[in-house]
Amino acid sequence: MNRLALTAPVCWITGAGLAAFSPGPPAKWSLVVFLLLWGLGLFFFDRKQMLKWGLLAGLLLAGNGHYHYAESKLATGIIPPSVPWNMDEDEAQVELAGTVDSPVEVDGDRAVFYARASRWTWEEQEQADSRVLRPAERVYVTVRLTDPEEQAVAADWKRGDRIVVSGTGKAAAPARNYGGFDFREYLRKNNVHWIVTVKGASSMEAAPPEGWSLTRLLRWNDQVRTAASGQLDKLFPGEEAGYMKGLLVGIREDLDPERFRDFSRLGLTHILAISGLHVGVFVWAVAAVCRRLSMTKEQTMAAAFWTIPLYVVFTGSSPSVIRAGITAMAGLFAARRGWLKDGLSLLGGTAWLMVIWKPLYVGDVGFQLSFLVTAGLLAGVPAVGRLIPIRQPWLNGSITVSLTAQMVSFPLSVYYFNQFSLLSLPANILLVPLISFVVTPLGYVAMLLSIPFPMAGSLVASLTSWLNKATFWCVEQTELFPAGQLIWPSPSYWWIAGYYFLLCAAIAVWGRRKQLEALERAKIYLSADGPRLLRHYGAAAGLACLLLTAWLAYGYSPYLLTERGNGTVAFLDVGQGDAAYIRTPGGKHLLIDGGGTVSFRKEGEEWKQRRDPYEVGRKTVVPLLKKRGVHRLDYLMISHEDTDHIGGLAAVLEEIPVDAILFNGTLKSSAATVKLFQLALEKEIPLIPVYEGDQITVDPDTLLTVLAPERPRERGIIEAEEQNSHTVAALLTMNGFRFLFAGDMGFAEETAILDRIATEPAAAASVAEAAASAAEPVLDVLKVAHHGSKNSTSGDWLSYWKPKLAVISAGVNNIYGHPHPLTLDRLTDAGTAIRRTDLQGEVQISVSRTTLRFRTKLLPSSGN
């Protein structure tokens, strides 16, 4: 307990963390830990020690309460125009007056920014309800630009502009899938509760600010950053300019999305976000300049201390660089005062102050990674360095720092990003020093030198460009080793705690064993118990490593132990499209369709193209599959080749290994289909046509029976532009329960299936075989065809299958009017319960040996 300066911040932050991540009553887990700490003090320590333990327990409860107090202050002052008001659906016309509170990002046909609204008026037909907001409330504004001229108008909008905006006010969209990105929660954590959508730049009036204020200073800084960005555009070609903007200025909007994903797969994204590493390089550069100017050590530290805020502001003042700047300034201040003997206590105190200032930091991945990794380096580098059998100090140090950072950040990385590359360690050892200590300084030199001496700046930029090309080449070569990219499900909090405990135990035991070996070799440890202790520590070290390996294996595939014998069928919300993920009782993974984004862009509208447009496969389907631990897909079934069913599958093939693709035996000459099939051929994935009567035994408890399309008379792939009549319909039997996936078939295809079952013995036999183990001779779940179109799901179809539950996959407020009221009426008349992704988000069904349990993401809906 003599480390109170460290344990006190840890307890406070732990209390805040329990409030942020633990379910149930606010202080439930904090109270449990409080009683545990107090009990330890009461029974195992004297009165003085008991008081210290009581103090720590009180700090834990205080941190918990402080977090909940901060949460309670995240409230809007804007009152909805009517009661009741559905935050998921309702919207109304609004006029706001205020100021632009961030740089304006213009991307294709959209401009987005944050605004401080000082006046908010709901516009209704009879009267307008106006509200003056004190203090001004921050809102998110998105402007849909209608022509290229409006792009130039939006480019002139700046931070601090006084604005009056007319548009549609609504709440941000929540997460619509389990584990999906929750934009509403993201904004709420930043105390933003409303979105205003504006059609056309003409609906917004903007005027420059009046007087002097902090906003005007930030506006000037934005202009400086824009000028620096323009200078980098002149110095570096193509995508390199966007890459250098991210490294030097903190502007990531121009970074090539594919390049960012390449770095992300290798665990190198920390290089592309201005953070602690960049601040450290900046301090190192300032110190180097000061030494050249023969400044004293105290003067050097003072120069670095006072220039850090300028660097933080220049690079965009993102949360990560603010945290790094505060930490670096605290370290310099402590060094000036001679307090750096206890780096961990200094780090803990800095984190404590930041959490007191902004308690919601504890839930921020950047905060967690920066402080955990720094603490791990301070505490773990000496111990890990002794375990690495390399004598060269520079090589040992480089490997030790990278390995320690990797081990400490690993559980958080897989929790948030669901991937880990086996090449991450060598990539960090090789590329981080190159980018940090060579490319970044050269980039700053080129940028600054090019202002007075353009030719000299271009020469330095050419050298930097060559190094960039070498970096990109190294990153691209890792694609030749796809097996090194591991997909991890998001682990539980208990698994993360267990990992850190076992990791520390393994390092400690191995370190002690190394010490004993060194003493034995030096003939210093001459006790008779020496050999026995050495054997015991050797066995303990082996056991610790074995337990850690087993723990990692469990985290990699937890379902093999916890869900063995149970399956899951999840109808993902992919907007106006279809996508269903299936995990079988035997641990097999299937994906039926992958959604798709339909574009209605016309010729001449290329200006609307965004730098990183939304793509449902990359943005929704792939992240959800990774989060659920899908290491590979055993089967990918394509019902048919319309874009709203296959548009997202190219991203799936690029990111996740696929063993086989089942499709309808046709080829549509669309760009999406050609791209998908070419990618499958490049990856040597078998393309297997399936027809009525085909059966696939996925595992002993799961059978897939194909009901359509009809088998063609001639062999070979046929061309078919119209795909709905060729859709694959399949009956899935899992643990005795039956699910029917009907694709986009219409009345004619439904009738053809019923006729074949009635008249053809083979068709009837296949359906009977699929139903042989069913709990009841009815359909448990029907995936309604064609998103609930009026031309599908006939009365005869429902009369034959008698589905208990129907799931309709459709987009919110889609232009097709799906699902059609007539289809809903037919389902209701058949006594079928209905679940809809446009209203309820993802529909997830757990399949045990005896029961089905379902839940939906948005509206409360669960049961057997």
Side-chain angles (χ1 to χ4, degrees):
M1 295 299 296
N2 56 353
R3 296 297 300 275
L4 191 61
L6 176 61
T7 51
V10 168
C11 284
W12 182 287
I13 295 171
T14 300
L18 289 170
F21 295 106
S22 62
K28 181 181 70 173
W29 288 107
S30 291
L31 183 60
V32 170
V33 179
F34 172 88
L35 294 174
L36 178 62
L37 291 175
W38 186 259
L40 288 172
L42 184 64
F43 289 103
F44 295 101
F45 301 102
D46 57 28
R47 180 172 297 179
K48 183 178 179 181
Q49 293 294 325
M50 186 179 70
L51 290 175
K52 289 183 179 180
W53 281 91
L55 172 63
L56 296 180
L59 287 171
L60 186 138
L61 277 182
N64 186 286
H66 185 52
Y67 182 92
H68 283 290
Y69 172 77
E71 276 267 342
S72 69
K73 304 299 287 185
L74 298 179
T76 178
I78 299 171
I79 301 174
S82 61
V83 178
W85 176 271
N86 188 329
M87 295 293 285
D88 292 337
E89 299 179 5
D90 292 346
E91 58 185 37
Q93 290 300 116
V94 66
E95 180 182 275
L96 74 84
T99 58
V100 177
D101 196 45
S102 71
V104 179
E105 179 187 344
V106 180
D107 184 12
D109 64 345
R110 185 182 67 172
V112 296
F113 57 89
Y114 290 94
R116 289 277 177 187
S118 56
R119 179 172 55 81
W120 182 280
T121 305
W122 292 109
E123 298 177 351
E124 298 181 351
Q125 292 182 355
E126 298 182 358
Q127 61 181 3
D129 180 18
S130 182
R131 183 176 180 85
V132 177
L133 302 173
R134 293 194 180 96
E137 181 166 331
R138 207 166 190 236
V139 298
Y140 185 79
V141 180
T142 174
V143 182
R144 182 62 58 86
L145 308 176
T146 57
D147 56 56
E149 288 74 21
E150 290 195 341
Q151 279 186 326
V153 173
D156 288 334
W157 297 337
K158 300 290 188 295
R159 189 202 302 258
D161 281 349
R162 294 173 291 120
I163 59 172
V164 177
V165 176
S166 296
T168 302
K170 59 182 180 180
R176 302 187 62 85
N177 292 283
Y178 290 100
F181 175 66
D182 193 332
F183 188 48
R184 177 183 296 177
E185 183 65 9
Y186 169 79
L187 290 179
R188 190 188 73 85
K189 294 288 188 182
N190 290 279
N191 207 17
V192 177
H193 306 274
W194 296 94
I195 289 179
V196 177
T197 303
V198 183
K199 184 177 181 181
S202 60
S203 298
M204 174 170 151
E205 301 175 11
E210 296 177 344
W212 285 95
S213 64
L214 176 61
T215 300
R216 182 175 280 275
L217 292 176
L218 293 175
R219 176 190 179 98
W220 176 80
N221 180 68
D222 291 342
Q223 294 171 347
V224 173
R225 298 179 72 225
T226 301
S229 174
Q231 201 68 18
L232 292 172
D233 282 326
K234 297 176 184 177
L235 291 171
F236 295 95
E239 68 169 280
E240 282 189 50
Y243 172 71
M244 294 304 293
K245 290 176 191 179
L247 287 179
L248 306 182
V249 193
I251 297 176
R252 296 177 58 179
E253 289 79 8
D254 295 336
L255 179 63
D256 179 57
E258 287 298 327
R259 185 67 61 198
F260 178 82
R261 284 189 282 275
D262 289 342
F263 275 71
S264 177
R265 294 187 188 102
L266 276 179
L268 292 172
T269 51
H270 59 95
I271 287 292
L272 303 177
I274 304 292
S275 58
L277 182 61
H278 300 77
V279 173
V281 173
F282 173 78
V283 172
W284 167 78
V286 170
V289 172
C290 291
R291 284 195 298 270
R292 295 288 296 176
L293 297 175
S294 301
M295 295 174 65
T296 66
K297 181 179 179 181
E298 290 75 14
Q299 291 172 329
T300 299
M301 287 191 289
F305 183 91
W306 292 112
T307 54
I308 285 174
L310 300 177
Y311 178 76
V312 169
V313 174
F314 174 73
T315 53
S317 303
S318 66
S320 61
V321 73
I322 290 175
R323 286 191 300 269
I326 292 174
T327 305
M329 293 177 72
L332 288 169
F333 181 78
R336 182 71 178 85
R337 294 286 182 175
W339 298 344
L340 270 185
K341 296 179 180 179
D342 191 352
L344 280 174
S345 296
L346 174 65
L347 183 71
T350 304
W352 192 6
L353 291 175
M354 293 182 68
V355 172
I356 291 174
W357 170 48
K358 192 173 182 179
L360 273 67
Y361 265 151
V362 296
D364 181 80
V365 57
F367 176 88
Q368 297 165 16
L369 282 172
S370 60
F371 280 99
L372 268 176
V373 170
T374 305
L377 292 175
L378 290 172
V381 164
V384 174
R386 288 191 292 267
L387 299 179
I388 297 176
I390 297 176
R391 294 186 177 181
Q392 291 83 354
W394 66 270
L395 184 57
N396 181 286
S398 179
I399 294 175
T400 298
V401 169
S402 297
L403 179 60
T404 304
Q406 290 273 305
M407 292 190 298
V408 173
S409 64
F410 169 75
L412 294 183
S413 296
V414 298
Y415 178 83
Y416 287 107
F417 309 117
N418 303 110
Q419 60 186 12
F420 177 76
S421 175
L422 297 178
L423 298 177
S424 181
L425 179 61
N428 274 272
I429 293 173
L430 175 65
L431 297 179
V432 169
L434 173 66
I435 297 171
S436 300
F437 296 104
V438 182
V439 172
T440 299
L442 283 176
Y444 279 121
V445 169
M447 183 176 67
L448 296 174
L449 193 60
S450 65
I451 299 174
F453 307 108
M455 185 65 70
S458 296
L459 289 174
V460 178
S462 297
L463 173 60
T464 309
S465 180
W466 184 86
L467 294 173
N468 288 339
K469 289 181 173 60
T471 300
F472 297 161
W473 181 85
C474 291
V475 172
E476 290 166 359
Q477 296 313 298
T478 62
E479 296 181 5
L480 302 177
F481 184 53
Q485 189 68 37
L486 304 180
I487 297 172
W488 286 72
S490 293
S492 67
Y493 302 142
W494 295 112
W495 186 90
I496 294 174
Y499 168 86
Y500 282 125
F501 173 78
L502 290 172
L503 178 65
C504 292
I507 292 174
V509 174
W510 271 104
R512 180 57 178 161
R513 184 177 184 276
K514 284 281 187 179
Q515 289 178 343
L516 292 174
E517 286 180 343
L519 291 172
E520 286 289 319
R521 285 195 300 269
K523 305 299 182 182
I524 297 174
Y525 194 87
L526 302 177
S527 170
D529 291 334
R532 182 177 60 83
L533 283 175
L534 193 58
R535 288 195 302 271
H536 287 177
Y537 271 100
L543 178 62
C545 291
L546 181 63
L547 289 174
L548 181 59
T549 302
W551 197 246
L552 289 171
Y554 167 67
Y556 185 69
S557 298
Y559 301 116
L560 294 180
L561 292 179
T562 59
E563 297 291 335
R564 193 74 178 180
N566 297 328
T568 299
V569 178
F571 298 91
L572 306 179
D573 186 347
V574 291
Q576 184 62 18
D578 274 10
Y581 161 65
I582 300 164
R583 180 175 53 79
T584 73
K588 301 292 186 180
H589 301 280
L590 291 80
L591 181 66
I592 300 178
D593 293 338
T597 307
V598 181
S599 175
F600 299 98
R601 189 158 297 155
K602 302 175 184 177
E603 186 176 352
E605 294 184 335
E606 292 78 9
W607 66 273
K608 293 184 176 181
Q609 183 68 26
R610 297 175 187 172
R611 287 184 290 269
D612 189 18
Y614 174 80
E615 198 281 296
V616 68
R618 179 165 46 83
K619 297 286 190 177
T620 300
V621 179
V622 168
L624 290 175
L625 294 179
K626 287 184 174 182
K627 188 164 284 290
R628 299 168 197 210
V630 180
H631 308 128
R632 65 186 310 110
L633 287 168
D634 297 276
Y635 293 100
L636 169 59
M637 190 177 88
I638 301 172
S639 67
H640 62 296
E641 296 158 23
D642 285 345
T643 302
D644 58 333
H645 290 252
I646 68 165
L649 293 181
V652 174
L653 264 61
E654 290 170 350
E655 296 285 339
I656 299 175
V658 177
D659 288 342
I661 296 177
L662 313 177
F663 75 115
N664 62 4
T666 71
L667 180 63
K668 182 179 180 178
S669 60
S670 66
T673 303
V674 172
K675 177 183 178 181
L676 178 65
F677 282 18
Q678 284 181 341
L679 188 58
L681 293 174
E682 290 172 5
K683 292 182 173 290
E684 299 181 348
I685 303 172
L687 291 161
I688 305 172
V690 291
Y691 306 104
E692 53 91 12
D694 290 343
Q695 289 190 327
I696 299 168
T697 302
V698 183
D699 67 24
D701 299 301
T702 308
L703 178 68
L704 189 67
T705 301
V706 180
L707 304 180
E710 188 175 357
R711 193 175 299 275
R713 293 184 177 86
E714 298 181 0
R715 286 182 168 272
I717 305 300
I718 61 174
E719 294 185 5
E721 298 305 311
E722 196 287 315
Q723 284 281 314
N724 288 350
S725 59
H726 296 278
T727 194
V728 174
L731 183 65
L732 177 76
T733 305
M734 182 191 298
N735 277 350
F737 296 96
R738 299 201 295 170
F739 301 76
L740 178 55
F741 297 87
D744 271 6
M745 64 170 47
F747 289 155
E749 290 73 41
E750 293 172 356
T751 301
I753 290 175
L754 296 179
D755 288 344
R756 283 198 299 272
I757 293 174
T759 60
E760 298 179 14
S766 64
V767 174
E769 182 179 350
S773 59
E776 296 182 29
V778 295
L779 196 63
D780 294 285
V781 179
L782 168 67
K783 203 292 295 180
V784 174
H786 206 176
H787 322 289
S789 164
K790 67 178 181 179
N791 298 317
S792 64
T793 317
S794 66
D796 291 341
W797 182 253
L798 294 174
S799 296
Y800 178 81
W801 293 108
K802 300 179 179 61
K804 296 178 180 179
L805 174 68
V807 177
I808 302 174
S809 181
V812 178
N813 299 324
N814 64 84
I815 63 174
Y816 308 101
H818 292 157
H820 197 278
L822 291 176
T823 303
L824 296 175
D825 290 342
R826 288 194 291 268
L827 288 166
T828 302
D829 293 342
T832 302
I834 303 172
R835 299 292 179 268
R836 297 167 48 177
T837 61
D838 61 326
L839 297 182
Q840 295 157 301
E842 178 184 346
V843 180
Q844 195 174 101
I845 303 171
S846 298
V847 187
S848 70
R849 301 287 185 185
T850 56
T851 60
L852 293 180
R853 296 191 62 85
F854 61 86
R855 60 175 184 165
T856 57
K857 182 66 177 74
L858 296 182
L859 299 180
S861 176
S862 61
N864 298 327

